[in-house]
């Protein structure tokens, strides 16, 4: 596995060439795909930037919005083939998105079929270009409160949806959502490399019960020690997971920093959990 910077996740909005320089200077191995720069400049120019800074491409955010209305979804799906072709040309092998853990419109069974129907052609298009699709389950109970219907919110449930969609579909596994879903070590240790497409790491605030966690209130990896990151990363290492690991902290502080300092602090947090996990 390797470290990857998601510039937008820590408040960096610099153009791709500058963001790549910042990622390299901070010590990241990869940088998340920038759809806009790739579309505007093409794969050759994009690769030149990666090569200049000794970076590889991490994952890409799925550019198709699963819950859009029919017309917008179909338009996004129509564009996906060209986007995926360009992404593959710069070394991107993984795309990921999250799945809401609730619905006010569809009961569980109807929602399951809705997502299967929407995501099957997405997965097929990505597969044509050698790209796997990662789906993130959202663990916090507070996200589901006040909604009419619960939906998938555990790794077990998400893998059932993945299996129904296609062979190139697996988990975007986030340490935060693993923890807030109950942090089952047995369930974690049942996952294989084939089950996992993408990985995010974070920590959780101290002093809260599981049913009190709020998705937007997180901590940097290794900051509080609440999440058992040694077990989490140790298992990924044991199964030889070979994809990106990215920080998605939803931090109010990082966007206030200089871009280089924000990247440096994020890289330092990854170094900290790498050390804790003895990687």
């Amino acid at each position: 596995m390797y470290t990857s910077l998601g510039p937008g996740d820590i408040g960096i909005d610099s153009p791709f060439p500058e963001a790549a320089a910042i990622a390299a200077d901070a010590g990241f191995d990869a940088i998340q795909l920038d759809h806009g720069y790739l579309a505007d400049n093409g794969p050759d120019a994009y690769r030149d930037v990666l090569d200049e800074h000794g970076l590889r491409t991490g994952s890409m955010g799925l550019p198709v919005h699963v819950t859009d209305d029919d017309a917008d979804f179909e338009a996004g799906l129509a564009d996906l083939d060209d986007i995926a072709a360009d992404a593959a040309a710069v070394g991107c092998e993984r795309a990921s998105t999250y799945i809401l853990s609730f619905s006010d419109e569809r009961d569980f069974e109807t929602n399951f079929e809705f997502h299967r129907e929407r995501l099957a052609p997405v997965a097929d298009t990505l597969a044509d270009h050698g790209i796997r699709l990662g789906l993130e389950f959202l663990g916090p109970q507070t996200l589901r409160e006040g909604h009419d219907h619960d939906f998938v919110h555990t790794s077990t449930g998400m893998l059932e949806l993945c299996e129904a969609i296609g062979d190139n579909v697996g988990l975007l596994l986030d340490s935060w959502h693993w923890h807030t879903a109950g942090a089952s070590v047995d369930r974690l240790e049942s996952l294989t490399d084939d089950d996992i497409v993408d990985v995010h790491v974070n920590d959780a605030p101290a002093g809260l019960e599981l049913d009190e966690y709020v998705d937007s209130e997180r901590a940097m990896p290794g900051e509080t020690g609440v999440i058992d990151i040694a077990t989490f990363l140790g298992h990924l290492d044991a199964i030889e997971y070979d994809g990106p690991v990215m920080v998605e902290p939803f931090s109010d502080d990082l966007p206030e920093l200089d871009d280089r300092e924000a990247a440096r602090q994020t890289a330092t947090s990854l170094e900290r959990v790498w050390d804790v996990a003895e990687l």
Side-chain angles (χ1 to χ4, degrees):
M1 55 186 156
Y2 54 91
T3 62
S4 182
L5 175 66
D9 291 324
I10 61 171
I12 295 175
D13 59 2
S14 298
F16 174 65
E18 287 82 353
I22 290 169
D25 288 347
F28 286 91
D29 302 312
I31 185 167
Q32 190 177 37
L33 187 81
D34 186 319
H35 299 115
Y37 189 88
L38 180 58
D40 291 344
N41 296 276
D44 289 343
Y46 197 99
R47 272 200 172 278
D48 286 345
V49 174
L50 293 175
D51 292 345
E52 178 184 356
H53 297 292
L55 294 171
R56 61 192 295 182
T57 299
S59 61
M60 72 171 180
L62 184 67
V64 181
H65 300 291
V66 180
T67 57
D68 276 352
D69 62 39
D70 289 345
D72 288 341
F73 173 77
E74 291 298 335
L77 184 60
D79 292 337
L80 182 60
D81 189 62
D82 287 341
I83 294 172
D86 284 348
V90 299
C92 183
E93 300 175 342
R94 301 159 192 261
S96 57
T97 190
Y98 63 89
I99 302 298
L100 291 175
S101 57
F102 58 85
S103 175
D104 291 321
E105 302 170 354
R106 296 177 289 271
D107 62 26
F108 189 99
E109 291 76 13
T110 305
N111 206 20
F112 191 98
E113 183 61 16
F114 169 84
H115 281 83
R116 188 198 65 77
E117 289 183 352
R118 281 285 177 97
L119 287 167
V122 170
D124 287 345
T125 300
L126 293 174
D128 288 342
H129 300 281
I131 299 174
R132 298 176 67 200
L133 174 60
L135 302 180
E136 183 178 35
F137 65 91
L138 307 183
Q141 179 178 320
T142 54
L143 280 175
R144 305 189 298 277
E145 292 174 351
H147 295 283
D148 292 340
H149 307 286
D150 284 1
F151 194 50
V152 174
H153 54 273
T154 65
S155 62
T156 302
M158 191 58 74
L159 282 175
E160 291 175 0
L161 179 59
C162 292
E163 184 177 357
I165 294 167
D167 293 339
N168 65 320
V169 188
L171 299 176
L172 189 179
L173 184 64
D174 188 313
S175 63
W176 163 266
H177 292 299
W178 169 67
H179 177 76
T180 56
S184 169
V185 174
D186 288 344
R187 185 58 192 140
L188 176 69
E189 292 180 346
S190 73
L191 299 176
T192 68
D193 181 51
D194 287 341
D195 294 325
I196 304 170
V197 174
D198 202 0
V199 169
H200 292 170
V201 289
N202 303 283
D203 211 336
L208 297 178
E209 300 296 329
L210 279 180
D211 61 359
E212 296 176 321
Y213 286 115
V214 176
D215 196 42
S216 60
E217 298 173 4
R218 307 186 183 187
M220 293 289 280
E223 181 179 346
T224 64
V226 170
I227 293 178
D228 185 0
I229 200 66
T231 295
F232 184 84
L233 288 177
H235 180 65
L236 295 179
D237 183 53
I239 62 174
E240 299 182 345
Y241 168 72
D242 60 356
V245 177
M246 196 172 73
V247 178
E248 187 187 45
F250 295 158
S251 170
D252 292 330
D253 297 328
L254 289 178
E256 300 299 321
L257 301 176
D258 169 85
D259 286 351
R260 291 185 179 275
E261 179 61 18
R264 188 195 67 77
Q265 289 194 18
T266 303
T268 297
S269 74
L270 285 173
E271 292 170 5
R272 179 168 57 225
V273 295
W274 244 246
D275 288 344
V276 169
E278 299 182 349
L279 302 181

